[in-house]
Amino acid sequence: AMWAPGHLPIGGQHANPTRSSLLCPCANVADAKYRTIKVPHMADSITEGTLKSWAKMVGEQVEQDEEVASIETDKVDIPVNSPVGGVIRELLAKEEDTVVVGQDLFKIEEGAVVEGGAAQSAPKAEEPSSSEPIAAAPKKSEPAAATPKEAAKPAAPKEAAAPAPAKESKPAASTSPVSFSTGERSERRVKMNRMRLRISERLKQSQNTAASLTTFNEIDMSNLIDLRKTYKDDVLKTHGVKLGYMGAFVKASTHALQAVPEVNASIDGDHLVYYDYCDVSVAVATPKGLVTPVLRNTERMSIVDVEQEIANLGKKARDNKITVEDMAGGTFTISNGGVFGSLYGTPIINMPQAAILGMHAIKERPVVVNGKIEIRPMMYVALSYDHRIIDGREAVTFLVKLKEVIEDPRRLLLS
């Protein structure tokens, strides 16, 4: 049994899920081995998503473990890979459809190979179009020869139009300001993706739940900048990673979390949960929104270890390869608005955590050092905290501990 060419279904949003999508007329239906691929399990907390795109269409060859579709969830984009190699025969959902875990997604003919005959028919269809320009070329040359004669005729009107009234018409342009108010004024409506909807929901939940308060301090970055200048080349050569400031701030925050355990805690019902480990979430900006991958057990990591892990997670986030597991948990969050030039800021707590540290831009400012005014590279830092868990004393103490370590990194050797 074969489909007539005029009845072949096409891929994408026009796929007909009620009919067979057999594309190769030479395939043997009796011998074909079809498999229906379902929406895979994505995470314990994710039951549905939005089908954002098809990477493969009906009739295209697919290798085993090759990506066929991408499903957008409220946390990450989940790639759907084919468990077997073959040819896509039918798409059972359209782009922008909501799909649930276990739903039929597409059909594949296992082990099939795309025949070359269909591809060879395309050049034959292009041959008539290539012959038409050759026949049309002489026709185009005839109007071209006539244009010089016609061009001479407008010369007389130009002389008639030469009088100055054309210049006198310019004062009419004085009424042109009206065009500024009647110019094109457009607007665009873009549907919020699942991640943006989830971010807005969680941030508003944080504001409505936590007794949020922010305290500030300033840090002299001179010693940390000198440390980075001295060792950045050695670190890059030895470990293959750039030495930045985030690694030092993660380690300094870990030191402060261990000194002030109230900041490394959360509320669970009518209980306070104190964590003996430090899992630091690092805010990373992506085209789709803000994500917070987690650095786990930072109390066991060195500054270089932290920088390597941040580089790995940052690349995964930008490439949309980050997983739900990468962002699960976290006992404390650091957000670095300084990379965008922020001078001050009051970050919003990442619930159910108790606090979040906000880093800002490094600016040279006059400060008093040993009774003298000096120009130093300074950074403002902010700690937003949940006053239900943390009192002002603990919040201020945390920032002081952080400040001490950043201004004198040698303190990390003593702990």
Side-chain angles (χ1 to χ4, degrees):
M2 295 183 293
W3 288 106
H7 294 81
L8 295 179
I10 58 177
Q13 298 181 2
H14 303 288
N16 188 348
T18 63
R19 297 169 47 185
S20 171
S21 297
L22 185 60
L23 197 64
C24 176
C26 59
N28 191 336
V29 177
D31 298 335
K33 186 178 181 181
Y34 290 93
R35 287 187 61 175
T36 300
I37 309 303
K38 300 179 181 294
V39 177
H41 174 75
M42 294 177 280
D44 293 338
S45 60
I46 299 176
T47 59
E48 66 176 22
T50 300
L51 179 62
K52 292 306 295 182
S53 63
W54 287 105
K56 295 290 183 179
M57 307 305 292
V58 171
E60 291 188 358
Q61 185 77 38
V62 179
E63 301 296 332
Q64 185 176 6
D65 292 329
E66 186 176 2
E67 183 175 331
V68 177
S70 177
I71 298 177
E72 179 189 75
T73 71
D74 56 5
K75 295 181 179 179
V76 294
D77 288 353
I78 306 294
V80 180
N81 299 333
S82 176
V84 296
V87 177
I88 301 295
R89 291 309 184 194
E90 192 172 358
L91 306 180
L92 304 178
K94 300 178 182 179
E95 293 182 355
E96 300 300 329
D97 280 357
T98 297
V99 294
V100 299
V101 174
Q103 174 182 333
D104 292 347
L105 193 59
F106 64 92
K107 291 183 179 180
I108 184 171
E109 183 180 349
E110 185 176 353
V113 178
V114 175
E115 296 288 345
Q120 294 174 357
S121 63
K124 295 180 180 179
E126 295 177 4
E127 289 177 2
S129 62
S130 62
S131 62
E132 290 177 3
I134 298 176
K139 296 179 181 179
K140 292 182 179 179
S141 61
E142 293 175 4
T147 51
K149 296 179 181 180
E150 295 176 359
K153 294 180 181 179
K158 286 181 181 177
E159 293 179 357
K167 297 181 180 180
E168 295 177 358
S169 63
K170 290 183 179 180
S174 61
T175 60
S176 62
V178 178
S179 63
F180 289 101
S181 60
T182 59
E184 183 179 355
R185 288 161 53 85
S186 60
E187 62 181 34
R188 295 183 302 124
R189 286 182 176 269
V190 180
K191 185 178 179 180
M192 295 173 68
N193 59 49
R194 285 179 174 266
M195 182 180 292
R196 176 52 58 186
L197 287 170
R198 182 59 174 165
I199 290 173
S200 62
E201 177 185 335
R202 283 182 56 83
L203 293 180
K204 194 57 186 174
Q205 177 188 11
S206 176
Q207 288 184 327
N208 294 340
T209 303
S212 184
L213 189 62
T214 305
T215 185
F216 298 89
N217 211 322
E218 61 178 358
I219 298 176
D220 185 347
M221 298 288 291
S222 301
N223 289 332
L224 185 57
I225 291 174
D226 291 341
L227 177 70
R228 179 175 178 270
K229 288 181 179 179
T230 303
Y231 297 106
K232 66 177 182 178
D233 293 336
D234 290 339
V235 171
L236 181 60
K237 181 179 179 181
T238 305
H239 302 280
V241 66
K242 294 181 179 179
L243 183 61
Y245 300 119
M246 183 60 78
F249 271 89
V250 170
K251 285 302 297 180
S253 297
T254 302
H255 171 79
L257 289 172
Q258 293 177 318
V260 188
E262 290 82 3
V263 181
N264 197 39
S266 66
I267 292 179
D268 184 12
D270 57 354
H271 290 78
L272 289 175
V273 181
Y274 295 93
Y275 303 100
D276 296 329
Y277 54 88
C278 298
D279 286 355
V280 179
S281 304
V282 179
V284 178
T286 69
K288 288 191 174 182
L290 193 68
V291 296
T292 54
V294 181
L295 304 170
R296 305 191 187 281
N297 297 112
T298 56
E299 73 278 2
R300 303 177 186 175
M301 302 170 71
S302 67
I303 292 179
V304 174
D305 292 336
V306 172
E307 292 288 0
Q308 289 177 328
E309 189 63 15
I310 289 175
N312 293 335
L313 292 173
K315 185 178 185 303
K316 290 177 67 176
R318 289 187 295 270
D319 295 342
N320 285 328
K321 300 297 183 182
I322 200 162
T323 64
V324 176
E325 290 75 15
D326 291 329
M327 297 187 294
T331 62
F332 182 76
T333 298
I334 299 178
S335 176
N336 186 7
V339 296
F340 305 108
S342 172
L343 184 62
Y344 286 108
T346 55
I348 299 177
I349 301 170
N350 183 18
M351 299 294 291
Q353 298 173 12
I356 178 173
L357 176 69
M359 298 168 55
H360 301 95
I362 302 172
K363 300 291 185 181
E364 290 189 342
R365 294 198 305 272
V367 295
V368 178
V369 179
N370 297 325
K372 297 180 181 179
I373 297 178
E374 297 184 10
I375 303 299
R376 293 292 182 94
M378 305 297 293
M379 175 193 287
Y380 290 115
V381 290
L383 182 73
S384 292
Y385 60 97
D386 190 345
H387 214 330
R388 298 178 303 166
I389 307 173
I390 305 168
D391 291 331
R393 180 187 64 179
E394 285 75 23
V396 172
T397 302
F398 176 90
L399 282 187
V400 170
K401 294 289 184 181
L402 176 81
K403 174 185 172 72
E404 290 174 350
V405 172
I406 296 297
E407 291 187 342
D408 186 5
R410 294 172 299 182
R411 288 177 176 270
L412 290 175
L413 299 175
L414 305 177
S415 60

